[in-house]
Amino acid sequence: MGENSRRSERVDYTGGIGKYLERLFSITRSITGNGNRKTLKLLQEIIPLNIKEYPTGAKVYDWTIPEEWNIKDAWIKNSNGEKVVDFQKSNLHVVSYSTPIHEKLTLNEFKHRLHYIEELPDAIPYRTSYYKKNWGFCLSYNDYRKYFNENEEYEVFVDSEFKEGALTIGELLIEGASKKEFLISTYICHPSLANDNLSGVVLTAFLAKELLKKKHNISYRIIFVPETIGAITYCAHHEKIMKNIDSGFVITTVGGPGKLGYKQSFDENNSINRIIEEVLQENNIDFITYPFMAGSDERQYSSIAFRINVATICKDKYHEYDYYHTSHDNLDFVKPEYINDALNIYIQALEKIDKSVVYKNMFPHCEVMLSKHGLCPEISGDYIPNRGIIESDIMCRLLLCCDGEADLFEISQILEMPIDVIYRVANKLEEKGIIERLS
Ligand code: ZN
């Protein structure tokens, strides 16, 4: 065909990604609270994020927005008054949403509230108790064995607060030529954990920054929500909009040292999956394919009433790596370069998605006379073997497919040609009024 698919230059945000990983990592995030606000405010340095608050007690479908939780400090002191567990050293040490307590207890009285992983003896696990009032501590198995004795008395302190507050969400709508929207969602509720999901948060911010640089055919709805309750809240408050969205990304776990992969959307045959595969293949990446399964916020977006086909491109997907939900998922495990690699894959996929316009041929009764519209060489018949097809041939094939139903990506698959070529040719036909864009 004499023309390669044209991809834009690879972006390099490694420096910025590294800077924001460092600044955001140790903030105490949860499903509500000041840590989430602080995180979103820092992201406002990168993109003009709109911060929205949804009050405690509001019903969102079958759920209720919980009380806001904030924590100042927590520790356990042994009988010598030494801090053997200290929230100031790692916010993973406290079970998220722990109730306040200040008591002296023997180990037997609170042993069941200490969480550790015997198989990963130097890692602190990450645990939550959002919807059942509870308190607890997480620590390494090594520390548990070192500092805890059956008959010793410990002073236990959690300085946390529950209040009628709000759940905080970040939102950015990047409007394109068409009102058709594509959803990009990431979750902000994890404290000091790098791959799951600070990597996704930072990637999404830089992806949005990149999208803001160009004009687009479609619009992008980018949201930063606490997992599950945040996605549900957003759906409940934007029901009509969300019902009109066909596909999207949930961006999570994009910064590990493992292989790139992608998790398919609800309908395995949806174009979003083919687009991602095509991009990964174009980059010669040996990738892992994960079938759709419950998982992250796609559980909400793909639910019966919404059925948004959300896929995830990831690098060390959640549940798949040993350090998942432990203190080992840190900034030694995650590298800015890995996130930048995944970012480039997302950008390339979005370029194809943005070109997946639906056109209608305005001349459905036999083909148009291309020469009359100035779209054909004046002298025809110059067939040269192996030169491949010329532009007017592509036009004729494309016109056969522009039925007002198939989008350009689907047509590119039928014609076995890169979407970039199809898109460019379609633009020429559009300029002459031969085909018209449907929104
Ligand atoms: Zn998680």
Side-chain angles (χ1 to χ4, degrees):
M1 163 164 41
E3 182 166 15
N4 294 319
S5 66
R6 277 176 303 179
R7 235 190 284 141
S8 64
E9 291 293 300
R10 195 182 144 84
V11 301
D12 183 6
Y13 281 115
T14 313
I17 290 169
K19 185 175 112 184
Y20 281 94
L21 287 176
E22 296 281 348
R23 289 176 71 191
L24 292 162
F25 182 70
S26 53
I27 296 174
T28 303
R29 286 169 287 267
S30 184
I31 52 171
T32 64
N34 291 327
N36 294 15
R37 293 189 188 97
K38 192 174 171 188
T39 298
L40 295 173
K41 279 206 183 97
L42 275 170
L43 296 177
Q44 281 179 328
E45 296 174 4
I46 309 170
I47 46 168
L49 209 51
N50 183 13
I51 299 177
K52 292 177 150 182
E53 303 267 5
Y54 298 90
T56 296
K59 284 278 280 176
V60 284
Y61 301 127
D62 198 38
W63 298 61
T64 304
I65 296 178
E67 284 179 294
E68 183 179 323
W69 180 77
N70 287 292
I71 180 164
K72 284 201 197 97
D73 200 7
W75 41 255
I76 301 174
K77 283 181 184 172
N78 65 12
S79 50
N80 296 326
E82 294 159 345
K83 280 185 191 171
V84 291
V85 179
D86 186 358
F87 174 79
Q88 301 303 336
K89 288 187 180 159
S90 169
N91 50 23
L92 295 176
H93 276 311
V94 173
V95 171
S96 189
Y97 260 69
S98 278
T99 50
I101 182 163
H102 193 185
E103 267 179 49
K104 284 191 173 172
L105 301 164
T106 61
L107 181 60
N108 275 334
E109 290 174 294
F110 74 107
K111 208 171 161 180
H112 62 289
R113 295 179 184 274
L114 296 180
H115 307 274
Y116 47 80
I117 307 168
E118 288 185 37
E119 302 75 40
L120 221 55
D122 55 348
I124 308 163
Y126 164 58
R127 297 284 181 269
T128 66
S129 184
Y130 301 136
Y131 300 103
K132 192 170 183 293
K133 285 272 162 85
N134 215 328
W135 61 269
F137 284 85
C138 305
L139 69 165
S140 72
Y141 184 54
N142 287 342
D143 277 0
Y144 177 72
R145 297 213 311 180
K146 190 169 165 190
Y147 297 118
F148 288 87
N149 306 299
E150 284 298 324
N151 299 313
E152 196 172 336
E153 192 180 62
Y154 295 86
E155 188 179 348
V156 176
F157 178 63
V158 177
D159 184 9
S160 64
E161 179 202 50
F162 288 83
K163 66 172 184 188
E164 299 281 309
L167 177 146
T168 313
I169 280 172
E171 177 196 62
L172 175 64
L173 180 65
I174 301 177
E175 287 183 76
S178 143
K179 289 216 180 312
K180 181 186 152 125
E181 289 186 10
F182 184 85
L183 176 70
I184 299 173
S185 176
T186 189
Y187 55 92
I188 55 165
C189 47
H190 290 38
S192 306
L193 297 166
N195 197 35
D196 179 28
N197 185 37
L198 186 58
S199 68
V201 172
V202 173
L203 186 150
T204 304
F206 281 94
L207 181 61
K209 184 183 165 83
E210 191 61 21
L211 284 172
L212 282 165
K213 286 184 181 169
K214 291 179 191 159
K215 285 196 159 35
H216 303 282
N217 290 319
I218 60 170
S219 302
Y220 296 89
R221 184 168 293 270
I222 303 168
I223 57 174
F224 296 76
V225 295
E227 205 172 9
T228 310
I229 185 69
I232 293 169
T233 300
Y234 197 83
C235 285
H237 284 267
H238 303 81
E239 189 178 286
K240 211 173 152 194
I241 289 166
M242 295 294 272
K243 281 185 174 174
N244 277 321
I245 298 179
D246 296 326
S247 53
F249 289 137
V250 165
I251 300 185
T252 167
T253 50
V254 288
K259 273 187 179 182
L260 271 159
Y262 92 101
K263 182 170 153 267
Q264 295 181 325
S265 72
F266 181 81
D267 171 9
E268 193 195 325
N269 298 316
N270 190 275
S271 287
I272 185 100
N273 302 310
R274 298 297 85 73
I275 287 173
I276 294 169
E277 284 167 10
E278 194 174 282
V279 169
L280 290 164
Q281 281 157 4
E282 282 170 1
N283 286 274
N284 298 315
I285 290 166
D286 175 24
F287 61 93
I288 307 169
T289 304
Y290 302 98
F292 182 85
M293 43 124 195
S296 179
D297 287 330
E298 56 273 32
R299 301 207 307 260
Q300 319 314 329
Y301 305 140
S302 304
S303 63
I304 294 167
F306 296 101
R307 285 290 195 247
I308 303 173
N309 267 281
V310 275
T312 297
I313 301 163
C314 46
K315 203 164 176 320
D316 274 311
K317 192 179 92 57
Y318 54 88
H319 299 166
E320 303 282 333
Y321 59 103
D322 293 341
Y323 296 168
Y324 172 70
H325 279 191
T326 75
S327 58
H328 286 353
D329 182 356
N330 57 24
L331 297 182
D332 293 326
F333 181 68
V334 163
K335 296 273 180 269
E337 306 86 75
Y338 303 153
I339 297 176
N340 196 65
D341 286 345
L343 172 63
N344 275 281
I345 301 297
Y346 273 106
I347 290 171
Q348 290 172 30
L350 285 177
E351 280 169 2
K352 288 181 193 285
I353 288 160
D354 202 69
K355 287 174 180 161
S356 303
V357 182
V358 178
Y359 281 105
K360 188 177 176 190
N361 185 344
M362 305 313 286
F363 297 82
H365 300 93
C366 302
E367 68 185 17
V368 287
M369 191 178 176
L370 287 178
S371 58
K372 197 177 94 183
H373 299 275
L375 291 170
C376 199
E378 284 183 5
I379 308 295
S380 60
D382 63 338
Y383 182 79
I384 300 167
N386 301 322
R387 187 187 59 180
I389 59 168
I390 57 171
E391 194 173 271
S392 56
D393 293 333
I394 302 173
M395 283 180 180
C396 292
R397 293 181 197 187
L398 179 56
L399 287 169
L400 281 171
C401 299
C402 288
D403 57 0
E405 300 274 338
D407 67 40
L408 289 192
F409 183 77
E410 289 161 345
I411 294 173
S412 81
Q413 297 241 300
I414 295 165
L415 300 183
E416 295 179 341
M417 278 180 221
I419 187 168
D420 312 75
V421 175
I422 302 283
Y423 180 75
R424 188 178 49 72
V425 172
N427 277 326
K428 287 191 181 175
L429 292 167
E430 186 182 19
E431 270 170 35
K432 301 285 182 182
I434 297 168
I435 57 175
E436 267 181 23
R437 230 170 245 242
L438 301 184
S439 60

